[in-house]
Amino acid sequence: TNLGAIFRSAAALNMDAVLLTPACSNPLYRRSCRVSMGTVFQVPWTYAGENWVQDLKNLGFKTAAMALRTDSVTIDDPRLMAEEKLAILLGSEGDGLTDGTIAACDYTVKIPMYHGVDSLNVAAASAVAFWELRAR
């Protein structure tokens, strides 16, 4: 359901594409398609190769890992919007991104939280990130 919701947000908020790692669920599974309201058929997507973070960098993307770290910048950091090509990396629900993936990224980004809440569901976090970091 999270993957379908991420696709739905990607479509609604005009993301260019979704890149999935080999360990990711299949977005064409029935439940994902249903939750996405069919947007898995509208948003371009593909599975990434083994060195996908470096592949993104070789294509001129700056990478932003969504992770709760002490060195994270907030999602409204002006440097993020100044990037011509920005890839937003989201981890799995619970475990998040690996330490190696985070270390390989140009930015580590967090969404500020209030009232003692430490994080959002990955689908909700994707919607916030897509809205804040969309091309304007």
Side-chain angles (χ1 to χ4, degrees), residues 4-42:
I6 290 169
F7 267 90
R8 188 171 171 181
S9 293
L13 299 169
N14 202 29
M15 295 295 104
D16 293 324
V18 174
L19 185 62
L20 307 170
T21 62
C24 187
S25 297
N26 185 338
L28 299 179
Y29 287 152
R30 182 174 177 232
R31 193 165 185 190
S32 180
C33 289
R34 182 179 54 79
V35 172
S36 81
M37 293 185 64
T39 57
V40 296
F41 302 109
Q42 296 172 341

mmCIF file of all heavy atoms in Angstrom, residues 4-42:
data_model
loop_
_atom_site.group_PDB
_atom_site.id
_atom_site.type_symbol
_atom_site.label_atom_id
_atom_site.label_comp_id
_atom_site.label_asym_id
_atom_site.label_seq_id
_atom_site.Cartn_x
_atom_site.Cartn_y
_atom_site.Cartn_z
ATOM 1 N N GLY A 4 2.033 2.039 -3.571
ATOM 2 C CA GLY A 4 0.949 2.622 -4.356
ATOM 3 C C GLY A 4 0.697 4.069 -3.984
ATOM 4 O O GLY A 4 0.487 4.929 -4.850
ATOM 5 N N ALA A 5 0.744 4.378 -2.694
ATOM 6 C CA ALA A 5 0.543 5.758 -2.239
ATOM 7 C C ALA A 5 1.682 6.662 -2.696
ATOM 8 O O ALA A 5 1.457 7.828 -3.042
ATOM 9 C CB ALA A 5 0.405 5.786 -0.724
ATOM 10 N N ILE A 6 2.900 6.142 -2.717
ATOM 11 C CA ILE A 6 4.035 6.929 -3.207
ATOM 12 C C ILE A 6 3.848 7.257 -4.682
ATOM 13 O O ILE A 6 4.069 8.386 -5.115
ATOM 14 C CB ILE A 6 5.363 6.185 -2.941
ATOM 15 C CG1 ILE A 6 5.655 6.173 -1.439
ATOM 16 C CG2 ILE A 6 6.512 6.812 -3.725
ATOM 17 C CD1 ILE A 6 6.782 5.244 -1.031
ATOM 18 N N PHE A 7 3.418 6.293 -5.472
ATOM 19 C CA PHE A 7 3.158 6.551 -6.889
ATOM 20 C C PHE A 7 2.054 7.591 -7.068
ATOM 21 O O PHE A 7 2.140 8.469 -7.929
ATOM 22 C CB PHE A 7 2.790 5.259 -7.622
ATOM 23 C CG PHE A 7 3.962 4.582 -8.260
ATOM 24 C CD1 PHE A 7 4.702 3.650 -7.550
ATOM 25 C CD2 PHE A 7 4.338 4.868 -9.554
ATOM 26 C CE1 PHE A 7 5.790 3.020 -8.124
ATOM 27 C CE2 PHE A 7 5.428 4.244 -10.146
ATOM 28 C CZ PHE A 7 6.165 3.318 -9.420
ATOM 29 N N ARG A 8 1.016 7.476 -6.269
ATOM 30 C CA ARG A 8 -0.095 8.431 -6.351
ATOM 31 C C ARG A 8 0.393 9.844 -6.044
ATOM 32 O O ARG A 8 0.049 10.802 -6.752
ATOM 33 C CB ARG A 8 -1.187 8.005 -5.385
ATOM 34 C CG ARG A 8 -2.457 8.786 -5.496
ATOM 35 C CD ARG A 8 -3.506 8.114 -4.648
ATOM 36 N NE ARG A 8 -4.711 8.905 -4.533
ATOM 37 C CZ ARG A 8 -5.751 8.542 -3.825
ATOM 38 N NH1 ARG A 8 -5.751 7.385 -3.184
ATOM 39 N NH2 ARG A 8 -6.807 9.310 -3.757
ATOM 40 N N SER A 9 1.213 9.992 -5.014
ATOM 41 C CA SER A 9 1.776 11.305 -4.685
ATOM 42 C C SER A 9 2.724 11.784 -5.778
ATOM 43 O O SER A 9 2.733 12.968 -6.117
ATOM 44 C CB SER A 9 2.517 11.240 -3.348
ATOM 45 O OG SER A 9 1.616 11.013 -2.290
ATOM 46 N N ALA A 10 3.528 10.878 -6.316
ATOM 47 C CA ALA A 10 4.455 11.252 -7.393
ATOM 48 C C ALA A 10 3.698 11.804 -8.594
ATOM 49 O O ALA A 10 4.103 12.801 -9.192
ATOM 50 C CB ALA A 10 5.315 10.057 -7.791
ATOM 51 N N ALA A 11 2.597 11.171 -8.938
ATOM 52 C CA ALA A 11 1.788 11.648 -10.063
ATOM 53 C C ALA A 11 1.131 12.986 -9.735
ATOM 54 O O ALA A 11 1.198 13.933 -10.517
ATOM 55 C CB ALA A 11 0.722 10.615 -10.423
ATOM 56 N N ALA A 12 0.517 13.058 -8.569
ATOM 57 C CA ALA A 12 -0.214 14.267 -8.192
ATOM 58 C C ALA A 12 0.692 15.478 -8.057
ATOM 59 O O ALA A 12 0.267 16.607 -8.335
ATOM 60 C CB ALA A 12 -0.957 14.032 -6.874
ATOM 61 N N LEU A 13 1.937 15.251 -7.653
ATOM 62 C CA LEU A 13 2.844 16.360 -7.388
ATOM 63 C C LEU A 13 3.920 16.507 -8.455
ATOM 64 O O LEU A 13 4.936 17.158 -8.253
ATOM 65 C CB LEU A 13 3.443 16.203 -5.983
ATOM 66 C CG LEU A 13 2.342 16.219 -4.905
ATOM 67 C CD1 LEU A 13 2.898 15.789 -3.559
ATOM 68 C CD2 LEU A 13 1.684 17.585 -4.823
ATOM 69 N N ASN A 14 3.676 15.891 -9.615
ATOM 70 C CA ASN A 14 4.454 16.104 -10.838
ATOM 71 C C ASN A 14 5.915 15.681 -10.744
ATOM 72 O O ASN A 14 6.794 16.363 -11.268
ATOM 73 C CB ASN A 14 4.346 17.572 -11.281
ATOM 74 C CG ASN A 14 4.655 17.746 -12.740
ATOM 75 O OD1 ASN A 14 4.430 16.840 -13.546
ATOM 76 N ND2 ASN A 14 5.171 18.901 -13.112
ATOM 77 N N MET A 15 6.172 14.533 -10.118
ATOM 78 C CA MET A 15 7.528 13.992 -10.117
ATOM 79 C C MET A 15 7.803 13.395 -11.493
ATOM 80 O O MET A 15 6.893 12.914 -12.168
ATOM 81 C CB MET A 15 7.684 12.910 -9.034
ATOM 82 C CG MET A 15 7.535 13.427 -7.613
ATOM 83 S SD MET A 15 8.830 14.574 -7.116
ATOM 84 C CE MET A 15 7.961 16.144 -7.199
ATOM 85 N N ASP A 16 9.041 13.445 -11.912
ATOM 86 C CA ASP A 16 9.395 12.973 -13.248
ATOM 87 C C ASP A 16 9.333 11.460 -13.393
ATOM 88 O O ASP A 16 8.960 10.947 -14.448
ATOM 89 C CB ASP A 16 10.803 13.445 -13.631
ATOM 90 C CG ASP A 16 10.869 14.948 -13.797
ATOM 91 O OD1 ASP A 16 9.893 15.539 -14.294
ATOM 92 O OD2 ASP A 16 11.905 15.535 -13.417
ATOM 93 N N ALA A 17 9.740 10.734 -12.351
ATOM 94 C CA ALA A 17 9.799 9.276 -12.431
ATOM 95 C C ALA A 17 10.007 8.695 -11.038
ATOM 96 O O ALA A 17 10.340 9.419 -10.100
ATOM 97 C CB ALA A 17 10.948 8.842 -13.350
ATOM 98 N N VAL A 18 9.844 7.389 -10.941
ATOM 99 C CA VAL A 18 10.115 6.650 -9.712
ATOM 100 C C VAL A 18 11.129 5.568 -10.048
ATOM 101 O O VAL A 18 10.944 4.808 -11.000
ATOM 102 C CB VAL A 18 8.819 6.029 -9.126
ATOM 103 C CG1 VAL A 18 9.142 5.147 -7.930
ATOM 104 C CG2 VAL A 18 7.821 7.113 -8.751
ATOM 105 N N LEU A 19 12.188 5.523 -9.270
ATOM 106 C CA LEU A 19 13.241 4.530 -9.442
ATOM 107 C C LEU A 19 13.177 3.585 -8.250
ATOM 108 O O LEU A 19 13.214 4.030 -7.105
ATOM 109 C CB LEU A 19 14.609 5.228 -9.502
ATOM 110 C CG LEU A 19 15.821 4.378 -9.786
ATOM 111 C CD1 LEU A 19 15.729 3.726 -11.166
ATOM 112 C CD2 LEU A 19 17.082 5.231 -9.698
ATOM 113 N N LEU A 20 13.052 2.310 -8.520
ATOM 114 C CA LEU A 20 12.906 1.304 -7.466
ATOM 115 C C LEU A 20 14.156 0.447 -7.365
ATOM 116 O O LEU A 20 14.776 0.125 -8.379
ATOM 117 C CB LEU A 20 11.710 0.397 -7.780
ATOM 118 C CG LEU A 20 10.381 1.103 -8.054
ATOM 119 C CD1 LEU A 20 9.363 0.108 -8.593
ATOM 120 C CD2 LEU A 20 9.879 1.765 -6.795
ATOM 121 N N THR A 21 14.497 0.052 -6.150
ATOM 122 C CA THR A 21 15.620 -0.868 -5.985
ATOM 123 C C THR A 21 15.110 -2.293 -6.206
ATOM 124 O O THR A 21 13.902 -2.550 -6.101
ATOM 125 C CB THR A 21 16.243 -0.743 -4.581
ATOM 126 O OG1 THR A 21 15.262 -1.093 -3.613
ATOM 127 C CG2 THR A 21 16.762 0.654 -4.332
ATOM 128 N N PRO A 22 16.001 -3.222 -6.504
ATOM 129 C CA PRO A 22 15.560 -4.602 -6.741
ATOM 130 C C PRO A 22 14.800 -5.226 -5.569
ATOM 131 O O PRO A 22 13.969 -6.104 -5.767
ATOM 132 C CB PRO A 22 16.868 -5.350 -7.014
ATOM 133 C CG PRO A 22 17.800 -4.306 -7.535
ATOM 134 C CD PRO A 22 17.430 -3.043 -6.791
ATOM 135 N N ALA A 23 15.057 -4.780 -4.348
ATOM 136 C CA ALA A 23 14.382 -5.336 -3.174
ATOM 137 C C ALA A 23 12.986 -4.760 -2.958
ATOM 138 O O ALA A 23 12.239 -5.240 -2.105
ATOM 139 C CB ALA A 23 15.226 -5.089 -1.926
ATOM 140 N N CYS A 24 12.621 -3.771 -3.736
ATOM 141 C CA CYS A 24 11.327 -3.107 -3.573
ATOM 142 C C CYS A 24 10.186 -3.995 -4.080
ATOM 143 O O CYS A 24 10.365 -4.814 -4.980
ATOM 144 C CB CYS A 24 11.335 -1.791 -4.352
ATOM 145 S SG CYS A 24 9.889 -0.770 -4.072
ATOM 146 N N SER A 25 9.036 -3.805 -3.503
ATOM 147 C CA SER A 25 7.842 -4.520 -3.980
ATOM 148 C C SER A 25 7.543 -4.159 -5.421
ATOM 149 O O SER A 25 7.941 -3.098 -5.903
ATOM 150 C CB SER A 25 6.627 -4.144 -3.124
ATOM 151 O OG SER A 25 6.810 -4.541 -1.800
ATOM 152 N N ASN A 26 6.812 -4.994 -6.093
ATOM 153 C CA ASN A 26 6.421 -4.763 -7.472
ATOM 154 C C ASN A 26 5.253 -3.781 -7.496
ATOM 155 O O ASN A 26 4.190 -4.066 -6.930
ATOM 156 C CB ASN A 26 6.017 -6.096 -8.119
ATOM 157 C CG ASN A 26 5.722 -5.969 -9.583
ATOM 158 O OD1 ASN A 26 5.421 -4.905 -10.100
ATOM 159 N ND2 ASN A 26 5.801 -7.092 -10.270
ATOM 160 N N PRO A 27 5.413 -2.630 -8.161
ATOM 161 C CA PRO A 27 4.322 -1.659 -8.193
ATOM 162 C C PRO A 27 3.110 -2.134 -9.000
ATOM 163 O O PRO A 27 2.044 -1.532 -8.926
ATOM 164 C CB PRO A 27 4.951 -0.422 -8.820
ATOM 165 C CG PRO A 27 6.095 -0.936 -9.607
ATOM 166 C CD PRO A 27 6.594 -2.154 -8.885
ATOM 167 N N LEU A 28 3.271 -3.232 -9.726
ATOM 168 C CA LEU A 28 2.147 -3.767 -10.499
ATOM 169 C C LEU A 28 1.326 -4.798 -9.724
ATOM 170 O O LEU A 28 0.347 -5.323 -10.260
ATOM 171 C CB LEU A 28 2.649 -4.369 -11.817
ATOM 172 C CG LEU A 28 3.358 -3.374 -12.740
ATOM 173 C CD1 LEU A 28 3.839 -4.066 -13.999
ATOM 174 C CD2 LEU A 28 2.461 -2.195 -13.076
ATOM 175 N N TYR A 29 1.712 -5.067 -8.479
ATOM 176 C CA TYR A 29 0.859 -5.912 -7.640
ATOM 177 C C TYR A 29 -0.506 -5.253 -7.521
ATOM 178 O O TYR A 29 -0.618 -4.022 -7.479
ATOM 179 C CB TYR A 29 1.462 -6.112 -6.252
ATOM 180 C CG TYR A 29 2.647 -7.032 -6.187
ATOM 181 C CD1 TYR A 29 3.607 -6.870 -5.203
ATOM 182 C CD2 TYR A 29 2.823 -8.078 -7.091
ATOM 183 C CE1 TYR A 29 4.709 -7.707 -5.117
ATOM 184 C CE2 TYR A 29 3.914 -8.921 -7.010
ATOM 185 C CZ TYR A 29 4.851 -8.728 -6.026
ATOM 186 O OH TYR A 29 5.939 -9.566 -5.939
ATOM 187 N N ARG A 30 -1.521 -6.077 -7.449
ATOM 188 C CA ARG A 30 -2.902 -5.585 -7.440
ATOM 189 C C ARG A 30 -3.144 -4.498 -6.392
ATOM 190 O O ARG A 30 -3.735 -3.454 -6.681
ATOM 191 C CB ARG A 30 -3.842 -6.762 -7.227
ATOM 192 C CG ARG A 30 -5.287 -6.379 -7.247
ATOM 193 C CD ARG A 30 -6.165 -7.623 -7.164
ATOM 194 N NE ARG A 30 -7.547 -7.204 -7.120
ATOM 195 C CZ ARG A 30 -8.399 -7.612 -6.198
ATOM 196 N NH1 ARG A 30 -8.024 -8.462 -5.287
ATOM 197 N NH2 ARG A 30 -9.624 -7.178 -6.212
ATOM 198 N N ARG A 31 -2.697 -4.745 -5.171
ATOM 199 C CA ARG A 31 -2.958 -3.789 -4.096
ATOM 200 C C ARG A 31 -2.248 -2.456 -4.338
ATOM 201 O O ARG A 31 -2.801 -1.391 -4.085
ATOM 202 C CB ARG A 31 -2.525 -4.389 -2.763
ATOM 203 C CG ARG A 31 -3.027 -3.623 -1.583
ATOM 204 C CD ARG A 31 -2.887 -4.431 -0.323
ATOM 205 N NE ARG A 31 -3.487 -3.723 0.787
ATOM 206 C CZ ARG A 31 -3.367 -4.078 2.031
ATOM 207 N NH1 ARG A 31 -2.686 -5.154 2.335
ATOM 208 N NH2 ARG A 31 -3.920 -3.378 2.983
ATOM 209 N N SER A 32 -1.035 -2.514 -4.839
ATOM 210 C CA SER A 32 -0.300 -1.293 -5.147
ATOM 211 C C SER A 32 -1.000 -0.507 -6.252
ATOM 212 O O SER A 32 -1.151 0.716 -6.155
ATOM 213 C CB SER A 32 1.125 -1.629 -5.565
ATOM 214 O OG SER A 32 1.852 -0.471 -5.856
ATOM 215 N N CYS A 33 -1.428 -1.199 -7.284
ATOM 216 C CA CYS A 33 -2.156 -0.536 -8.377
ATOM 217 C C CYS A 33 -3.432 0.130 -7.883
ATOM 218 O O CYS A 33 -3.753 1.258 -8.254
ATOM 219 C CB CYS A 33 -2.508 -1.538 -9.478
ATOM 220 S SG CYS A 33 -1.115 -2.120 -10.437
ATOM 221 N N ARG A 34 -4.146 -0.596 -7.019
ATOM 222 C CA ARG A 34 -5.406 -0.065 -6.498
ATOM 223 C C ARG A 34 -5.177 1.192 -5.667
ATOM 224 O O ARG A 34 -5.829 2.214 -5.868
ATOM 225 C CB ARG A 34 -6.131 -1.128 -5.677
ATOM 226 C CG ARG A 34 -7.478 -0.677 -5.138
ATOM 227 C CD ARG A 34 -8.190 -1.769 -4.344
ATOM 228 N NE ARG A 34 -7.413 -2.335 -3.268
ATOM 229 C CZ ARG A 34 -7.237 -1.771 -2.068
ATOM 230 N NH1 ARG A 34 -7.786 -0.615 -1.808
ATOM 231 N NH2 ARG A 34 -6.508 -2.364 -1.147
ATOM 232 N N VAL A 35 -4.212 1.122 -4.740
ATOM 233 C CA VAL A 35 -3.932 2.277 -3.887
ATOM 234 C C VAL A 35 -3.410 3.444 -4.720
ATOM 235 O O VAL A 35 -3.715 4.606 -4.436
ATOM 236 C CB VAL A 35 -2.938 1.904 -2.767
ATOM 237 C CG1 VAL A 35 -2.483 3.129 -1.997
ATOM 238 C CG2 VAL A 35 -3.574 0.894 -1.826
ATOM 239 N N SER A 36 -2.668 3.157 -5.757
ATOM 240 C CA SER A 36 -2.120 4.227 -6.610
ATOM 241 C C SER A 36 -3.189 4.868 -7.485
ATOM 242 O O SER A 36 -2.936 5.897 -8.107
ATOM 243 C CB SER A 36 -1.011 3.682 -7.512
ATOM 244 O OG SER A 36 -1.538 3.036 -8.658
ATOM 245 N N MET A 37 -4.370 4.280 -7.509
ATOM 246 C CA MET A 37 -5.457 4.734 -8.392
ATOM 247 C C MET A 37 -5.005 4.729 -9.856
ATOM 248 O O MET A 37 -5.362 5.602 -10.640
ATOM 249 C CB MET A 37 -5.973 6.105 -7.977
ATOM 250 C CG MET A 37 -6.676 6.072 -6.630
ATOM 251 S SD MET A 37 -7.440 7.624 -6.150
ATOM 252 C CE MET A 37 -8.692 7.814 -7.430
ATOM 253 N N GLY A 38 -4.185 3.743 -10.192
ATOM 254 C CA GLY A 38 -3.741 3.572 -11.573
ATOM 255 C C GLY A 38 -2.556 4.427 -11.982
ATOM 256 O O GLY A 38 -2.101 4.338 -13.119
ATOM 257 N N THR A 39 -2.018 5.226 -11.058
ATOM 258 C CA THR A 39 -0.906 6.104 -11.445
ATOM 259 C C THR A 39 0.388 5.340 -11.713
ATOM 260 O O THR A 39 1.297 5.904 -12.322
ATOM 261 C CB THR A 39 -0.659 7.206 -10.392
ATOM 262 O OG1 THR A 39 -0.411 6.591 -9.120
ATOM 263 C CG2 THR A 39 -1.850 8.148 -10.311
ATOM 264 N N VAL A 40 0.460 4.063 -11.303
ATOM 265 C CA VAL A 40 1.643 3.273 -11.663
ATOM 266 C C VAL A 40 1.728 3.101 -13.179
ATOM 267 O O VAL A 40 2.786 2.775 -13.698
ATOM 268 C CB VAL A 40 1.680 1.886 -10.974
ATOM 269 C CG1 VAL A 40 1.801 2.026 -9.471
ATOM 270 C CG2 VAL A 40 0.508 1.030 -11.354
ATOM 271 N N PHE A 41 0.628 3.359 -13.869
ATOM 272 C CA PHE A 41 0.614 3.287 -15.333
ATOM 273 C C PHE A 41 0.834 4.652 -15.973
ATOM 274 O O PHE A 41 0.891 4.764 -17.200
ATOM 275 C CB PHE A 41 -0.714 2.690 -15.816
ATOM 276 C CG PHE A 41 -0.972 1.319 -15.246
ATOM 277 C CD1 PHE A 41 -1.960 1.129 -14.304
ATOM 278 C CD2 PHE A 41 -0.208 0.230 -15.628
ATOM 279 C CE1 PHE A 41 -2.201 -0.125 -13.764
ATOM 280 C CE2 PHE A 41 -0.429 -1.026 -15.092
ATOM 281 C CZ PHE A 41 -1.425 -1.208 -14.152
ATOM 282 N N GLN A 42 0.937 5.701 -15.159
ATOM 283 C CA GLN A 42 1.134 7.057 -15.672
ATOM 284 C C GLN A 42 2.540 7.600 -15.412
ATOM 285 O O GLN A 42 3.082 8.325 -16.240
ATOM 286 C CB GLN A 42 0.124 8.021 -15.030
ATOM 287 C CG GLN A 42 -1.309 7.717 -15.376
ATOM 288 C CD GLN A 42 -2.279 8.575 -14.578
ATOM 289 O OE1 GLN A 42 -1.934 9.141 -13.550
ATOM 290 N NE2 GLN A 42 -3.497 8.668 -15.057
#
